[in-house]
Amino acid sequence: MSRIRGALIGCGFFARNQLHAWQGIEGVEIVAICDRDETRLAETGDAFGIARRYTDAGRMFDEGGFDFVDIATTVPSHRPLVEMAARAGDGAGVHVICQKPFAENMADARAMIAAVEATGKTLMVHENFRWQSAVRAAIEALRGGAIGTPFFGRVSFRSGYDVFSGQPYLAEGARFIIEDLGIHILDISRALFGDVARITATTTRINPEIRGEDVATMLLAHEGGVTSVVDCSYATRRTPETFPETLLEIDGTGGTLRLDAGYRLTIQAAGGEEIRDVAPPVLPWAERPWHNIQESVALIQQHFVDCLRAGCAPETSGDDNLKTFALVEAAYLSAAEGRTVALAEL
Ligand code: NAD
Ligand code: 89V
């Protein structure tokens, strides 16, 4: 596969990061964009020099001429758009990237995975936090055995940053922090410690101006024996404000790993200590403090292209991400019913 052509649906708040990142990936061209909102469509097309523009995704798929679709809309449209992508080209389908949260419920997620699977095309969920370079450095150190076998982990995201001005829909849903942000942090825990057998969660809402929960504390029993705490808050006001950093505390049989505020990675093992600055680069189109997330967008999209070229499944394939999505559903169930939930229940 030499030149890869893509189309993007959803020209909103986050899509511009994806479009900038595509511009930096060799051999890829975004040939068409779609948004129901004509103003956003025109602004995005002009900003990125994309001439083929659609307000109707069905029409875009009918006219075709691209190998993959990058779905950057919010969750209610994910299932219809993924199924449209699978029906494209008289059922031949196109490769699909879909933003998180992948689906509204487990049944939809399973149907979407099955639809793409039937075409033999690649499906990747845009679950980018595990691709943040600081998080990646920790994942690689752990997988490389730097602290022996892990037995405890804390994966923590606590902030008071105003995410609602850029993404007003976050204040409106019955669900907020686990579905939007916790999903990333749960996925990092899975990337570090493997799949999860049971979860116990509590949630609360501190900010009276939003509908959903803005604090969640989750205890995960991983199948391999690790216990991890995944804690998320958008009600934590302190300096320094660490948005959007995920902090890590991991204890292993041979040492400890900490990823502290300011992207400082400390590994203590075998009587020694290594401290590394793992701060992400600020890409030319990026801006602080989002540069951390923005770099991970470029990295996950490069990974998708590498997988297409190599003919292998992306790390966050539909099947893989179903396990992260199940953790979200299980966490809400646990918090609602005040009990530990086995993932096998879902
Ligand atoms: P947004 O509301 O700003 O943009 C979504 C756009 O999609 C809108 O312009 C809307 O008109 C368009 N749209 C919706 N349904 C459509 C349809 N059927 N056909 C054509 N256009 C349609 O949302 P956003 O903040 O950009 O978020 C989009 C997605 O990205 C969400 O799922 C969100 O959770 C996710 N997100 C991910 C990250 C990350 O780091 N991975 C960060 C922010 C947002
Ligand atoms: O990454 C995200 O999904 C964003 C934010 C960092 C604000 O939670 O919605």
Side-chain angles (χ1 to χ4, degrees):
M1 187 180 279
S2 48
R3 190 163 150 272
I4 302 175
R5 291 159 307 167
L8 178 137
I9 309 177
C11 301
F13 169 79
F14 201 68
R16 76 191 76 139
N17 297 314
Q18 295 170 224
L19 287 166
H20 276 300
W22 286 126
Q23 284 185 329
I25 296 175
E26 216 180 299
V28 176
E29 187 189 354
I30 298 299
V31 296
I33 53 171
C34 170
D35 199 296
R36 290 197 292 225
D37 180 320
E38 289 190 16
T39 310
R40 285 184 162 187
L41 184 65
E43 280 170 5
T44 306
D46 293 349
F48 290 91
I50 301 164
R52 278 183 63 192
R53 302 171 189 180
Y54 299 85
T55 50
D56 174 7
R59 241 193 77 218
M60 187 176 83
F61 281 114
D62 286 346
E63 294 183 16
F66 47 89
D67 308 296
F68 76 91
V69 64
D70 190 5
I71 299 171
T73 59
T74 44
V75 67
S77 53
H78 287 178
R79 180 170 177 178
L81 292 175
V82 167
E83 290 181 339
M84 243 184 244
R87 286 195 304 269
D90 290 327
V94 293
H95 303 293
V96 180
I97 305 176
C98 181
Q99 258 297 351
K100 50 57 65 177
F102 182 48
E104 291 192 292
N105 53 58
M106 290 291 286
D108 280 3
R110 289 193 175 104
M112 292 152 75
I113 291 167
V116 181
E117 216 164 68
T119 67
K121 300 289 183 188
T122 296
L123 167 63
M124 182 180 85
V125 179
H126 187 122
E127 179 42 78
N128 50 323
F129 271 40
R130 64 162 74 191
W131 286 97
Q132 290 174 6
S133 45
V135 171
R136 206 74 200 169
I139 291 172
E140 274 157 25
L142 199 67
R143 289 181 186 169
I147 60 163
T149 305
F151 58 86
F152 169 83
R154 177 177 175 208
V155 189
S156 177
F157 185 107
R158 310 194 76 80
S159 168
Y161 189 83
D162 170 24
V163 288
F164 309 107
S165 54
Q167 296 164 265
Y169 59 88
L170 295 179
E172 292 156 14
R175 292 177 167 190
F176 168 41
I177 201 168
I178 301 178
E179 180 180 82
D180 181 68
L181 182 274
I183 196 168
H184 292 305
I185 314 305
L186 288 164
D187 189 67
I188 290 174
S189 187
R190 276 193 59 238
L192 287 164
F193 310 122
D195 291 334
V196 177
R198 297 179 305 282
I199 184 167
T200 314
T202 62
T203 59
T204 190
R205 176 166 55 89
I206 301 300
N207 181 347
E209 316 225 310
I210 67 169
R211 212 174 136 216
E213 84 291 352
D214 53 4
V215 178
T217 309
M218 297 168 268
L219 181 69
L220 280 59
H222 293 260
E223 288 171 0
V226 178
T227 296
S228 74
V229 177
V230 172
D231 59 293
C232 306
S233 165
Y234 270 126
T236 302
R237 278 163 193 81
R238 66 184 289 271
T239 50
E241 168 55 74
T242 52
F243 179 88
E245 290 181 54
T246 301
L247 308 183
L248 300 173
E249 294 174 30
I250 306 173
D251 295 351
T253 51
T256 61
L257 180 154
R258 298 289 182 268
L259 178 59
D260 293 313
Y263 303 105
R264 201 171 78 130
L265 180 68
T266 305
I267 296 173
Q268 294 180 349
E273 178 179 75
E274 183 199 354
I275 300 177
R276 280 164 57 195
D277 176 3
V278 289
V282 185
L283 295 175
W285 47 270
E287 59 186 347
R288 293 177 189 275
W290 286 86
H291 63 296
N292 172 31
I293 291 179
Q294 287 163 318
E295 191 216 10
S296 70
V297 168
L299 292 174
I300 194 174
Q301 291 181 185
Q302 180 66 61
H303 172 66
F304 176 76
V305 169
D306 292 344
C307 289
L308 283 192
R309 292 208 165 107
C312 60
E315 242 186 71
T316 58
S317 65
D319 281 334
D320 177 86
N321 194 256
L322 189 63
K323 297 178 193 167
T324 294
F325 186 66
L327 277 173
V328 169
E329 292 292 314
Y332 281 115
L333 183 61
S334 168
E337 298 189 353
R339 66 178 177 92
T340 297
V341 171
L343 272 295
E345 288 182 40
L346 301 166

